[in-house]
Each structure stands twice: as C-alpha cells, then as structure tokens.
Amino acid sequence: MDYHNKLILAPMVRVGTLPLRLLAAEYGADITYGEEIVDHKIVKCDRRINELLGSTDFVEKGTESVVFRTCDQEKDKVVFQIGTSDAVRALTAAQLVCNDVAAIDINMGCPKPFSLSGGMGAALLSKPELISDILTTLRRNLTLPVTCKIRLLKSPHDTVELARRIEKTGVHAIAVHGRHVLDRPRDPAKWSGIADVASALSIPVIANGDVFEYDDFQRIKSATGASSVMAARGALWNPSIFSPEGKVSYEIMEKEYIRKCILWDNDIRSTKHTLRDMKSHYTSLEVPFWRAVVKAESTADVAELYGEQEYYKEHYRLIKSDSNKGYR
C-alpha cells in the first residue's frame, strides 16, 4: 500500500463498519480504516464466508456476533486497526485477518477509559519499549504493511523522539492526531505538532485533526508537510467530504448510508449510533422523529422510518430467493 498523497477515512469506534467504509470509498477515500477492535475479541473469532451477503465475517465463538465484516470491494484499501497491549496477542489477531485486509494498524492514541484501562491506545505512549516490541513483532512476521496511530506527547521533543523510535521498527507509515491525550474534540488540533514529526521522519506521516471540508485536506497537508491526510468527524458527518466535486446534502448521504446498512446487514446498534453522530451535527436529537429512531429495534424499523422500506423488502426478497446459501 502506498501512503503518499492519500485521502484516508480515520478509525472511529462503533461507526467505522463496512457501510461507512464503502460509502467513503465511493466518494474518493483512498484508504479506509476500520474501527479499533481489541485483540482479545478478534482472537475468539472464526473466519467465515457469508455467501448470502458476499462478505467475509469474523464471528465470535459462542455468541455468534459479527466482530468484523469486510468484502472483496475494499480488500485493497481497508486497514484493520488493533487495540492491544501485547505483542504476541497482536500478532495472533493480525494473522487471523491478514489475508482479507490491506494493512494492519496499532491504535496508540485512543484516550477512552476502556482502552487506557487495558493498557491499550494512548496508554502505550508512555511505554516505548512495548511499542517497539509490538511493532517489531508484526513487521518480522507479516508480509502486509504495518502502521500505527499516535497522539502528541507533552512536548514536541518527546513526540518526535517517540516517532523516531517507531520509525526504527520498520513500519510503513505513522498517523499523528494533532491533539494531546487530555484534549477534547472541541480543542483545536495542533498542526504544528504534526509538522514537527513530518520534518523529522523519512517514512510517510499521515496528518489527522480538524479536517471538515475537502479543501482542508490540502490545507493541513501544506501546513504540516505530511504525506497523506486522515479525516474523522468530517467524514462521519458527511462521507462525501472526500469528493473534489463537493459534498452532497446530508439527507442524501443519510439515505445512502442506510441502504448500505441494509445491503450489508449492519448491526442495528452500530447503525443507530452512526446515524445519531451524523444527525447531531446538523439538527437537534430532541425531535419526535429521532426518538422513533432510537426506539427502532431492527434495520427494517429504521428503513421504514427513512422511507426505504421498498429497498429493504427487495433486498430481502433476493436473499430469501437464494436462501440455500449461508456461511461456509
């Protein structure tokens, strides 16, 4: 995978599932990161081919819940992001999915309590030896690209020194979120911190932070000297941010997303969570319509609320007519 001059969908918990990744790719995203999946979770999964959907599913043993779903359409651009605090377990997780994704990424920037309490995400930033162990182990044992995503440390010097140490492990690229661990999304991203890293390394640096319009891709790239640019909230609010032709309306994007959720049988909890995060940027969630969405118990319920019941019925009519297919 080439990490130069790319527009990238950032990893986002609970929303970076197959429908959003495919939608972003259709509008111009060159690389699409899946949501962070903890190594403990994925190593408990079986890999199954879902012939009904045309997908590859990683299904948790016992619960039969789909932990990760992908398909051939995205095989050359989807990045599987792992939450981990152990090199051996990270490798086991990566080896399970490596034939179905384009690259592996290690999350070293998530500030959420569940990640920090497990020694994962941003907790790794204070453990450079463990970082080196995880990344070196992956590079030695995998043939596909390995990357990681970090946040800014307390000082520019500390950030650059960690980035240099990461570069020595042989990773193919490093993504830098221009915020500190304690910063909140409302705090402006510090592009100068990303620039410090980009000027110090020879591997591609991916800039992340405050990319809300298509023009922001070039703005942050020029300001930081980064090789590529990653969008998170801007892409969640409207995945057509990746299109040089300009964003389509939120209403159109919302319906396109719902159709993708129907087509790929997305988990209803993920669908509602993503719709909520999309919609909250544009309108109040206190309206009766949204309260009805919250109460929806199935994709069929959501389809009806958004006027997509005919699309839903046609899709499931086709599946029913091919019901001899299933997992293999």
Side-chain angles (χ1 to χ4, degrees), residues 16-130:
T17 55
L18 184 57
L20 187 70
R21 297 197 304 266
L22 291 178
L23 197 54
E26 285 182 9
Y27 278 97
D30 301 299
I31 301 172
T32 56
Y33 280 58
E35 62 174 331
E36 174 197 19
I37 296 178
V38 176
D39 53 10
H40 285 288
K41 191 83 167 177
I42 196 69
V43 297
K44 296 177 182 176
C45 292
D46 285 326
R47 178 185 182 274
R48 302 182 189 176
I49 301 300
N50 188 326
E51 294 186 324
L52 276 175
L53 298 179
S55 65
T56 300
D57 297 348
F58 291 84
V59 182
E60 187 176 26
K61 301 169 187 174
T63 68
E64 292 298 297
S65 62
V66 177
V67 173
F68 178 66
R69 172 167 285 159
T70 185
C71 65
D72 287 344
Q73 289 172 242
E74 65 166 7
K75 189 174 182 179
D76 63 345
K77 63 181 60 184
V78 64
V79 178
F80 187 85
Q81 189 185 63
I82 302 173
T84 187
S85 60
D86 180 86
V88 174
R89 202 163 53 241
L91 178 60
T92 302
Q95 289 174 328
L96 183 63
V97 302
C98 66
N99 292 324
D100 300 292
V101 300
I104 297 294
D105 183 81
I106 299 299
N107 184 337
M108 299 182 181
C110 181
K112 296 184 182 298
F114 85 88
S115 197
L116 296 176
S117 64
M120 303 177 294
L124 290 172
L125 296 176
S126 61
K127 301 174 182 177
E129 294 84 4
L130 179 55

Side-chain angles (χ1 to χ4, degrees), residues 49-220:
I49 301 300
N50 188 326
E51 294 186 324
L52 276 175
L53 298 179
S55 65
T56 300
D57 297 348
F58 291 84
V59 182
E60 187 176 26
K61 301 169 187 174
T63 68
E64 292 298 297
S65 62
V66 177
V67 173
F68 178 66
R69 172 167 285 159
T70 185
C71 65
D72 287 344
Q73 289 172 242
E74 65 166 7
K75 189 174 182 179
D76 63 345
K77 63 181 60 184
V78 64
V79 178
F80 187 85
Q81 189 185 63
I82 302 173
T84 187
S85 60
D86 180 86
V88 174
R89 202 163 53 241
L91 178 60
T92 302
Q95 289 174 328
L96 183 63
V97 302
C98 66
N99 292 324
D100 300 292
V101 300
I104 297 294
D105 183 81
I106 299 299
N107 184 337
M108 299 182 181
C110 181
K112 296 184 182 298
F114 85 88
S115 197
L116 296 176
S117 64
M120 303 177 294
L124 290 172
L125 296 176
S126 61
K127 301 174 182 177
E129 294 84 4
L130 179 55
I131 287 176
S132 294
D133 186 25
I134 292 170
L135 296 177
T136 302
T137 298
L138 294 179
R139 283 292 293 121
R140 286 175 177 170
N141 293 280
L142 299 175
T143 57
L144 74 173
V146 175
T147 62
C148 67
K149 185 169 185 282
I150 68 170
R151 282 185 175 238
L152 301 179
L153 275 64
K154 289 182 179 180
S155 73
H157 176 268
D158 290 346
T159 306
V160 169
E161 286 305 302
L162 177 63
R164 284 175 171 157
R165 184 162 187 161
I166 288 171
E167 182 178 39
K168 289 178 181 178
T169 67
V171 294
H172 294 74
I174 179 173
V176 182
H177 184 173
R179 290 184 173 86
H180 297 97
V181 175
L182 295 180
D183 287 344
R184 299 278 67 87
R186 64 178 176 273
D187 298 318
K190 300 168 182 66
W191 290 2
S192 61
I194 304 173
D196 292 335
V197 175
S199 65
L201 302 189
S202 58
I203 61 172
V205 171
I206 303 166
N208 174 222
D210 290 351
V211 177
F212 302 120
E213 303 292 339
Y214 182 79
D215 290 346
D216 290 338
F217 285 111
Q218 188 56 50
R219 284 182 58 240
I220 189 173

